[in-house]
Amino acid sequence: MKKYTAYIMALFAGALFVLSGCKDDDVVDGGEYNSERLFMPMFRMEENTNDNSDPYACAIASKAIHSTSNRINDVQLYWYGVKGASGYRIRCKVQGTDWDKNSVLDTIVGPEVLEFLHEDLQYSVGYSYAIQALSSKGDAYNSKWYGMGDGSHQKDYMTITTETVMRCRVFSGWKTLPSNPFAFTSTTRLNLLQNMRNSSKTVPRL
């Protein structure tokens, strides 16, 4: 009887050890293996949606049809929401630089916000973006970063390059023009051509 009781106690102790070990695994390394960690959000772009006609794809603002900006040095971001997120943290750096030393954006938006307009950027520069879903339970439950890469996700990055501009002289002032002349409306192009023809001092210049 004593042997039987000792055997039962040993089994019970072993079960407690296994259960406690599993619980510890959930939060080891700051939540690296946490089963309650939020899912990783993703930016809306063709690599993720497999749709080259998505009206809410991340792009230069002038090419994003639903953006409130039409500037070629603004970037419009869109992403998929994550259930249970208390907000989203967005970071940006110049392409090829360090995330911590060369950050040009580090901001947090609310859980209902699924878009962000990054304004007044340099022309002809590539900007890399990353996003993380935040949990109200604490940092250990935040999602992994999308956009910083971990070696196992080849498409876990997003870089958008702002456009080049041209400058031409119209009468007494300099005007900044998009690199794509078709970005103008037909009326604007006609007026610009007429102004150039009517002024002998008007000289196109980069």
Side-chain angles (χ1 to χ4, degrees), residues 13-35:
L16 287 177
F17 177 78
V18 171
L19 290 174
S20 63
C22 292
K23 184 176 181 180
D24 289 340
D25 286 344
D26 282 347
V27 294
V28 69
D29 294 333
E32 180 67 18
Y33 302 107
N34 190 345
S35 61

mmCIF file with all atom_site columns, all heavy atoms in Angstrom, residues 13-35:
data_model
loop_
_atom_site.group_PDB
_atom_site.id
_atom_site.type_symbol
_atom_site.label_atom_id
_atom_site.label_alt_id
_atom_site.label_comp_id
_atom_site.label_asym_id
_atom_site.label_entity_id
_atom_site.label_seq_id
_atom_site.pdbx_PDB_ins_code
_atom_site.Cartn_x
_atom_site.Cartn_y
_atom_site.Cartn_z
_atom_site.occupancy
_atom_site.B_iso_or_equiv
_atom_site.pdbx_formal_charge
_atom_site.auth_seq_id
_atom_site.auth_comp_id
_atom_site.auth_asym_id
_atom_site.auth_atom_id
_atom_site.pdbx_PDB_model_num
ATOM 1   N N   . ALA A 1 13 ? 3.596  14.610 -8.676  1.00 0.00 ? 13 ALA A N   1
ATOM 2   C CA  . ALA A 1 13 ? 4.685  15.586 -8.685  1.00 0.00 ? 13 ALA A CA  1
ATOM 3   C C   . ALA A 1 13 ? 5.218  15.807 -10.096 1.00 0.00 ? 13 ALA A C   1
ATOM 4   O O   . ALA A 1 13 ? 5.532  16.915 -10.503 1.00 0.00 ? 13 ALA A O   1
ATOM 5   C CB  . ALA A 1 13 ? 5.800  15.117 -7.749  1.00 0.00 ? 13 ALA A CB  1
ATOM 6   N N   . GLY A 1 14 ? 5.298  14.716 -10.855 1.00 0.00 ? 14 GLY A N   1
ATOM 7   C CA  . GLY A 1 14 ? 5.769  14.838 -12.234 1.00 0.00 ? 14 GLY A CA  1
ATOM 8   C C   . GLY A 1 14 ? 4.840  15.667 -13.087 1.00 0.00 ? 14 GLY A C   1
ATOM 9   O O   . GLY A 1 14 ? 5.252  16.482 -13.912 1.00 0.00 ? 14 GLY A O   1
ATOM 10  N N   . ALA A 1 15 ? 3.540  15.469 -12.871 1.00 0.00 ? 15 ALA A N   1
ATOM 11  C CA  . ALA A 1 15 ? 2.554  16.239 -13.630 1.00 0.00 ? 15 ALA A CA  1
ATOM 12  C C   . ALA A 1 15 ? 2.646  17.723 -13.309 1.00 0.00 ? 15 ALA A C   1
ATOM 13  O O   . ALA A 1 15 ? 2.567  18.575 -14.196 1.00 0.00 ? 15 ALA A O   1
ATOM 14  C CB  . ALA A 1 15 ? 1.150  15.714 -13.326 1.00 0.00 ? 15 ALA A CB  1
ATOM 15  N N   . LEU A 1 16 ? 2.835  18.055 -12.039 1.00 0.00 ? 16 LEU A N   1
ATOM 16  C CA  . LEU A 1 16 ? 2.988  19.460 -11.642 1.00 0.00 ? 16 LEU A CA  1
ATOM 17  C C   . LEU A 1 16 ? 4.222  20.077 -12.271 1.00 0.00 ? 16 LEU A C   1
ATOM 18  O O   . LEU A 1 16 ? 4.216  21.227 -12.709 1.00 0.00 ? 16 LEU A O   1
ATOM 19  C CB  . LEU A 1 16 ? 3.063  19.566 -10.110 1.00 0.00 ? 16 LEU A CB  1
ATOM 20  C CG  . LEU A 1 16 ? 1.771  19.338 -9.336  1.00 0.00 ? 16 LEU A CG  1
ATOM 21  C CD1 . LEU A 1 16 ? 2.038  19.417 -7.827  1.00 0.00 ? 16 LEU A CD1 1
ATOM 22  C CD2 . LEU A 1 16 ? 0.725  20.380 -9.740  1.00 0.00 ? 16 LEU A CD2 1
ATOM 23  N N   . PHE A 1 17 ? 5.294  19.306 -12.348 1.00 0.00 ? 17 PHE A N   1
ATOM 24  C CA  . PHE A 1 17 ? 6.540  19.803 -12.937 1.00 0.00 ? 17 PHE A CA  1
ATOM 25  C C   . PHE A 1 17 ? 6.358  20.123 -14.414 1.00 0.00 ? 17 PHE A C   1
ATOM 26  O O   . PHE A 1 17 ? 6.800  21.154 -14.915 1.00 0.00 ? 17 PHE A O   1
ATOM 27  C CB  . PHE A 1 17 ? 7.639  18.750 -12.751 1.00 0.00 ? 17 PHE A CB  1
ATOM 28  C CG  . PHE A 1 17 ? 8.947  19.141 -13.377 1.00 0.00 ? 17 PHE A CG  1
ATOM 29  C CD1 . PHE A 1 17 ? 9.789  20.046 -12.749 1.00 0.00 ? 17 PHE A CD1 1
ATOM 30  C CD2 . PHE A 1 17 ? 9.326  18.605 -14.598 1.00 0.00 ? 17 PHE A CD2 1
ATOM 31  C CE1 . PHE A 1 17 ? 10.987 20.405 -13.332 1.00 0.00 ? 17 PHE A CE1 1
ATOM 32  C CE2 . PHE A 1 17 ? 10.517 18.966 -15.184 1.00 0.00 ? 17 PHE A CE2 1
ATOM 33  C CZ  . PHE A 1 17 ? 11.359 19.869 -14.546 1.00 0.00 ? 17 PHE A CZ  1
ATOM 34  N N   . VAL A 1 18 ? 5.674  19.229 -15.123 1.00 0.00 ? 18 VAL A N   1
ATOM 35  C CA  . VAL A 1 18 ? 5.436  19.447 -16.560 1.00 0.00 ? 18 VAL A CA  1
ATOM 36  C C   . VAL A 1 18 ? 4.582  20.671 -16.787 1.00 0.00 ? 18 VAL A C   1
ATOM 37  O O   . VAL A 1 18 ? 4.841  21.504 -17.646 1.00 0.00 ? 18 VAL A O   1
ATOM 38  C CB  . VAL A 1 18 ? 4.781  18.201 -17.191 1.00 0.00 ? 18 VAL A CB  1
ATOM 39  C CG1 . VAL A 1 18 ? 4.326  18.501 -18.617 1.00 0.00 ? 18 VAL A CG1 1
ATOM 40  C CG2 . VAL A 1 18 ? 5.752  17.029 -17.167 1.00 0.00 ? 18 VAL A CG2 1
ATOM 41  N N   . LEU A 1 19 ? 3.510  20.816 -15.985 1.00 0.00 ? 19 LEU A N   1
ATOM 42  C CA  . LEU A 1 19 ? 2.609  21.954 -16.145 1.00 0.00 ? 19 LEU A CA  1
ATOM 43  C C   . LEU A 1 19 ? 3.304  23.263 -15.837 1.00 0.00 ? 19 LEU A C   1
ATOM 44  O O   . LEU A 1 19 ? 3.133  24.254 -16.544 1.00 0.00 ? 19 LEU A O   1
ATOM 45  C CB  . LEU A 1 19 ? 1.381  21.781 -15.236 1.00 0.00 ? 19 LEU A CB  1
ATOM 46  C CG  . LEU A 1 19 ? 0.408  20.676 -15.632 1.00 0.00 ? 19 LEU A CG  1
ATOM 47  C CD1 . LEU A 1 19 ? -0.681 20.524 -14.572 1.00 0.00 ? 19 LEU A CD1 1
ATOM 48  C CD2 . LEU A 1 19 ? -0.195 20.967 -16.997 1.00 0.00 ? 19 LEU A CD2 1
ATOM 49  N N   . SER A 1 20 ? 4.106  23.278 -14.797 1.00 0.00 ? 20 SER A N   1
ATOM 50  C CA  . SER A 1 20 ? 4.817  24.511 -14.450 1.00 0.00 ? 20 SER A CA  1
ATOM 51  C C   . SER A 1 20 ? 5.850  24.845 -15.501 1.00 0.00 ? 20 SER A C   1
ATOM 52  O O   . SER A 1 20 ? 6.095  26.003 -15.823 1.00 0.00 ? 20 SER A O   1
ATOM 53  C CB  . SER A 1 20 ? 5.486  24.365 -13.073 1.00 0.00 ? 20 SER A CB  1
ATOM 54  O OG  . SER A 1 20 ? 6.463  23.328 -13.100 1.00 0.00 ? 20 SER A OG  1
ATOM 55  N N   . GLY A 1 21 ? 6.459  23.807 -16.087 1.00 0.00 ? 21 GLY A N   1
ATOM 56  C CA  . GLY A 1 21 ? 7.439  24.044 -17.142 1.00 0.00 ? 21 GLY A CA  1
ATOM 57  C C   . GLY A 1 21 ? 6.803  24.648 -18.371 1.00 0.00 ? 21 GLY A C   1
ATOM 58  O O   . GLY A 1 21 ? 7.336  25.554 -18.995 1.00 0.00 ? 21 GLY A O   1
ATOM 59  N N   . CYS A 1 22 ? 5.606  24.171 -18.734 1.00 0.00 ? 22 CYS A N   1
ATOM 60  C CA  . CYS A 1 22 ? 4.892  24.728 -19.892 1.00 0.00 ? 22 CYS A CA  1
ATOM 61  C C   . CYS A 1 22 ? 4.514  26.174 -19.651 1.00 0.00 ? 22 CYS A C   1
ATOM 62  O O   . CYS A 1 22 ? 4.580  27.006 -20.547 1.00 0.00 ? 22 CYS A O   1
ATOM 63  C CB  . CYS A 1 22 ? 3.637  23.900 -20.170 1.00 0.00 ? 22 CYS A CB  1
ATOM 64  S SG  . CYS A 1 22 ? 3.983  22.221 -20.757 1.00 0.00 ? 22 CYS A SG  1
ATOM 65  N N   . LYS A 1 23 ? 4.103  26.488 -18.436 1.00 0.00 ? 23 LYS A N   1
ATOM 66  C CA  . LYS A 1 23 ? 3.705  27.857 -18.120 1.00 0.00 ? 23 LYS A CA  1
ATOM 67  C C   . LYS A 1 23 ? 4.890  28.795 -18.232 1.00 0.00 ? 23 LYS A C   1
ATOM 68  O O   . LYS A 1 23 ? 4.789  29.902 -18.759 1.00 0.00 ? 23 LYS A O   1
ATOM 69  C CB  . LYS A 1 23 ? 3.114  27.912 -16.718 1.00 0.00 ? 23 LYS A CB  1
ATOM 70  C CG  . LYS A 1 23 ? 2.584  29.284 -16.336 1.00 0.00 ? 23 LYS A CG  1
ATOM 71  C CD  . LYS A 1 23 ? 1.925  29.254 -14.978 1.00 0.00 ? 23 LYS A CD  1
ATOM 72  C CE  . LYS A 1 23 ? 1.368  30.639 -14.625 1.00 0.00 ? 23 LYS A CE  1
ATOM 73  N NZ  . LYS A 1 23 ? 0.727  30.629 -13.293 1.00 0.00 ? 23 LYS A NZ  1
ATOM 74  N N   . ASP A 1 24 ? 6.062  28.339 -17.770 1.00 0.00 ? 24 ASP A N   1
ATOM 75  C CA  . ASP A 1 24 ? 7.253  29.184 -17.860 1.00 0.00 ? 24 ASP A CA  1
ATOM 76  C C   . ASP A 1 24 ? 7.662  29.407 -19.307 1.00 0.00 ? 24 ASP A C   1
ATOM 77  O O   . ASP A 1 24 ? 8.139  30.473 -19.684 1.00 0.00 ? 24 ASP A O   1
ATOM 78  C CB  . ASP A 1 24 ? 8.422  28.544 -17.090 1.00 0.00 ? 24 ASP A CB  1
ATOM 79  C CG  . ASP A 1 24 ? 8.202  28.590 -15.578 1.00 0.00 ? 24 ASP A CG  1
ATOM 80  O OD1 . ASP A 1 24 ? 7.377  29.427 -15.135 1.00 0.00 ? 24 ASP A OD1 1
ATOM 81  O OD2 . ASP A 1 24 ? 8.839  27.799 -14.881 1.00 0.00 ? 24 ASP A OD2 1
ATOM 82  N N   . ASP A 1 25 ? 7.465  28.379 -20.160 1.00 0.00 ? 25 ASP A N   1
ATOM 83  C CA  . ASP A 1 25 ? 7.839  28.501 -21.563 1.00 0.00 ? 25 ASP A CA  1
ATOM 84  C C   . ASP A 1 25 ? 7.052  29.590 -22.268 1.00 0.00 ? 25 ASP A C   1
ATOM 85  O O   . ASP A 1 25 ? 7.512  30.170 -23.251 1.00 0.00 ? 25 ASP A O   1
ATOM 86  C CB  . ASP A 1 25 ? 7.605  27.169 -22.302 1.00 0.00 ? 25 ASP A CB  1
ATOM 87  C CG  . ASP A 1 25 ? 8.664  26.136 -21.933 1.00 0.00 ? 25 ASP A CG  1
ATOM 88  O OD1 . ASP A 1 25 ? 9.694  26.555 -21.374 1.00 0.00 ? 25 ASP A OD1 1
ATOM 89  O OD2 . ASP A 1 25 ? 8.448  24.943 -22.191 1.00 0.00 ? 25 ASP A OD2 1
ATOM 90  N N   . ASP A 1 26 ? 5.841  29.868 -21.785 1.00 0.00 ? 26 ASP A N   1
ATOM 91  C CA  . ASP A 1 26 ? 4.988  30.861 -22.439 1.00 0.00 ? 26 ASP A CA  1
ATOM 92  C C   . ASP A 1 26 ? 5.592  32.262 -22.391 1.00 0.00 ? 26 ASP A C   1
ATOM 93  O O   . ASP A 1 26 ? 5.298  33.095 -23.250 1.00 0.00 ? 26 ASP A O   1
ATOM 94  C CB  . ASP A 1 26 ? 3.601  30.897 -21.785 1.00 0.00 ? 26 ASP A CB  1
ATOM 95  C CG  . ASP A 1 26 ? 2.746  29.722 -22.256 1.00 0.00 ? 26 ASP A CG  1
ATOM 96  O OD1 . ASP A 1 26 ? 3.151  29.078 -23.240 1.00 0.00 ? 26 ASP A OD1 1
ATOM 97  O OD2 . ASP A 1 26 ? 1.714  29.473 -21.638 1.00 0.00 ? 26 ASP A OD2 1
ATOM 98  N N   . VAL A 1 27 ? 6.376  32.554 -21.382 1.00 0.00 ? 27 VAL A N   1
ATOM 99  C CA  . VAL A 1 27 ? 6.877  33.915 -21.227 1.00 0.00 ? 27 VAL A CA  1
ATOM 100 C C   . VAL A 1 27 ? 8.396  33.976 -21.222 1.00 0.00 ? 27 VAL A C   1
ATOM 101 O O   . VAL A 1 27 ? 8.982  34.975 -20.852 1.00 0.00 ? 27 VAL A O   1
ATOM 102 C CB  . VAL A 1 27 ? 6.348  34.550 -19.915 1.00 0.00 ? 27 VAL A CB  1
ATOM 103 C CG1 . VAL A 1 27 ? 4.860  34.744 -19.981 1.00 0.00 ? 27 VAL A CG1 1
ATOM 104 C CG2 . VAL A 1 27 ? 6.712  33.691 -18.710 1.00 0.00 ? 27 VAL A CG2 1
ATOM 105 N N   . VAL A 1 28 ? 9.079  32.916 -21.639 1.00 0.00 ? 28 VAL A N   1
ATOM 106 C CA  . VAL A 1 28 ? 10.533 32.926 -21.652 1.00 0.00 ? 28 VAL A CA  1
ATOM 107 C C   . VAL A 1 28 ? 11.052 33.953 -22.652 1.00 0.00 ? 28 VAL A C   1
ATOM 108 O O   . VAL A 1 28 ? 10.420 34.215 -23.674 1.00 0.00 ? 28 VAL A O   1
ATOM 109 C CB  . VAL A 1 28 ? 11.077 31.513 -21.998 1.00 0.00 ? 28 VAL A CB  1
ATOM 110 C CG1 . VAL A 1 28 ? 10.780 31.147 -23.433 1.00 0.00 ? 28 VAL A CG1 1
ATOM 111 C CG2 . VAL A 1 28 ? 12.577 31.449 -21.742 1.00 0.00 ? 28 VAL A CG2 1
ATOM 112 N N   . ASP A 1 29 ? 12.183 34.553 -22.363 1.00 0.00 ? 29 ASP A N   1
ATOM 113 C CA  . ASP A 1 29 ? 12.813 35.542 -23.237 1.00 0.00 ? 29 ASP A CA  1
ATOM 114 C C   . ASP A 1 29 ? 11.881 36.701 -23.568 1.00 0.00 ? 29 ASP A C   1
ATOM 115 O O   . ASP A 1 29 ? 11.707 37.086 -24.724 1.00 0.00 ? 29 ASP A O   1
ATOM 116 C CB  . ASP A 1 29 ? 13.282 34.887 -24.552 1.00 0.00 ? 29 ASP A CB  1
ATOM 117 C CG  . ASP A 1 29 ? 14.401 33.890 -24.309 1.00 0.00 ? 29 ASP A CG  1
ATOM 118 O OD1 . ASP A 1 29 ? 15.123 34.073 -23.319 1.00 0.00 ? 29 ASP A OD1 1
ATOM 119 O OD2 . ASP A 1 29 ? 14.550 32.954 -25.106 1.00 0.00 ? 29 ASP A OD2 1
ATOM 120 N N   . GLY A 1 30 ? 11.266 37.271 -22.564 1.00 0.00 ? 30 GLY A N   1
ATOM 121 C CA  . GLY A 1 30 ? 10.434 38.442 -22.780 1.00 0.00 ? 30 GLY A CA  1
ATOM 122 C C   . GLY A 1 30 ? 9.219  38.170 -23.630 1.00 0.00 ? 30 GLY A C   1
ATOM 123 O O   . GLY A 1 30 ? 8.737  39.044 -24.352 1.00 0.00 ? 30 GLY A O   1
ATOM 124 N N   . GLY A 1 31 ? 8.705  36.962 -23.594 1.00 0.00 ? 31 GLY A N   1
ATOM 125 C CA  . GLY A 1 31 ? 7.498  36.649 -24.357 1.00 0.00 ? 31 GLY A CA  1
ATOM 126 C C   . GLY A 1 31 ? 7.777  36.099 -25.731 1.00 0.00 ? 31 GLY A C   1
ATOM 127 O O   . GLY A 1 31 ? 6.887  35.995 -26.565 1.00 0.00 ? 31 GLY A O   1
ATOM 128 N N   . GLU A 1 32 ? 9.038  35.720 -26.019 1.00 0.00 ? 32 GLU A N   1
ATOM 129 C CA  . GLU A 1 32 ? 9.383  35.221 -27.343 1.00 0.00 ? 32 GLU A CA  1
ATOM 130 C C   . GLU A 1 32 ? 8.506  34.032 -27.742 1.00 0.00 ? 32 GLU A C   1
ATOM 131 O O   . GLU A 1 32 ? 8.124  33.883 -28.887 1.00 0.00 ? 32 GLU A O   1
ATOM 132 C CB  . GLU A 1 32 ? 10.856 34.808 -27.356 1.00 0.00 ? 32 GLU A CB  1
ATOM 133 C CG  . GLU A 1 32 ? 11.333 34.273 -28.704 1.00 0.00 ? 32 GLU A CG  1
ATOM 134 C CD  . GLU A 1 32 ? 11.363 35.315 -29.789 1.00 0.00 ? 32 GLU A CD  1
ATOM 135 O OE1 . GLU A 1 32 ? 11.347 36.510 -29.462 1.00 0.00 ? 32 GLU A OE1 1
ATOM 136 O OE2 . GLU A 1 32 ? 11.388 34.937 -30.969 1.00 0.00 ? 32 GLU A OE2 1
ATOM 137 N N   . TYR A 1 33 ? 8.164  33.155 -26.753 1.00 0.00 ? 33 TYR A N   1
ATOM 138 C CA  . TYR A 1 33 ? 7.353  31.980 -27.041 1.00 0.00 ? 33 TYR A CA  1
ATOM 139 C C   . TYR A 1 33 ? 5.970  32.095 -26.406 1.00 0.00 ? 33 TYR A C   1
ATOM 140 O O   . TYR A 1 33 ? 5.302  31.102 -26.177 1.00 0.00 ? 33 TYR A O   1
ATOM 141 C CB  . TYR A 1 33 ? 8.069  30.725 -26.533 1.00 0.00 ? 33 TYR A CB  1
ATOM 142 C CG  . TYR A 1 33 ? 9.440  30.549 -27.128 1.00 0.00 ? 33 TYR A CG  1
ATOM 143 C CD1 . TYR A 1 33 ? 10.574 30.789 -26.363 1.00 0.00 ? 33 TYR A CD1 1
ATOM 144 C CD2 . TYR A 1 33 ? 9.605  30.176 -28.461 1.00 0.00 ? 33 TYR A CD2 1
ATOM 145 C CE1 . TYR A 1 33 ? 11.843 30.642 -26.906 1.00 0.00 ? 33 TYR A CE1 1
ATOM 146 C CE2 . TYR A 1 33 ? 10.858 30.035 -29.010 1.00 0.00 ? 33 TYR A CE2 1
ATOM 147 C CZ  . TYR A 1 33 ? 11.980 30.266 -28.230 1.00 0.00 ? 33 TYR A CZ  1
ATOM 148 O OH  . TYR A 1 33 ? 13.223 30.129 -28.775 1.00 0.00 ? 33 TYR A OH  1
ATOM 149 N N   . ASN A 1 34 ? 5.566  33.301 -26.129 1.00 0.00 ? 34 ASN A N   1
ATOM 150 C CA  . ASN A 1 34 ? 4.296  33.519 -25.462 1.00 0.00 ? 34 ASN A CA  1
ATOM 151 C C   . ASN A 1 34 ? 3.141  33.160 -26.387 1.00 0.00 ? 34 ASN A C   1
ATOM 152 O O   . ASN A 1 34 ? 2.989  33.739 -27.453 1.00 0.00 ? 34 ASN A O   1
ATOM 153 C CB  . ASN A 1 34 ? 4.198  34.985 -25.028 1.00 0.00 ? 34 ASN A CB  1
ATOM 154 C CG  . ASN A 1 34 ? 3.020  35.233 -24.114 1.00 0.00 ? 34 ASN A CG  1
ATOM 155 O OD1 . ASN A 1 34 ? 2.120  34.411 -24.011 1.00 0.00 ? 34 ASN A OD1 1
ATOM 156 N ND2 . ASN A 1 34 ? 3.028  36.363 -23.448 1.00 0.00 ? 34 ASN A ND2 1
ATOM 157 N N   . SER A 1 35 ? 2.322  32.200 -25.967 1.00 0.00 ? 35 SER A N   1
ATOM 158 C CA  . SER A 1 35 ? 1.197  31.786 -26.802 1.00 0.00 ? 35 SER A CA  1
ATOM 159 C C   . SER A 1 35 ? 0.128  32.868 -26.902 1.00 0.00 ? 35 SER A C   1
ATOM 160 O O   . SER A 1 35 ? -0.726 32.821 -27.772 1.00 0.00 ? 35 SER A O   1
ATOM 161 C CB  . SER A 1 35 ? 0.578  30.499 -26.240 1.00 0.00 ? 35 SER A CB  1
ATOM 162 O OG  . SER A 1 35 ? 0.085  30.718 -24.930 1.00 0.00 ? 35 SER A OG  1
#
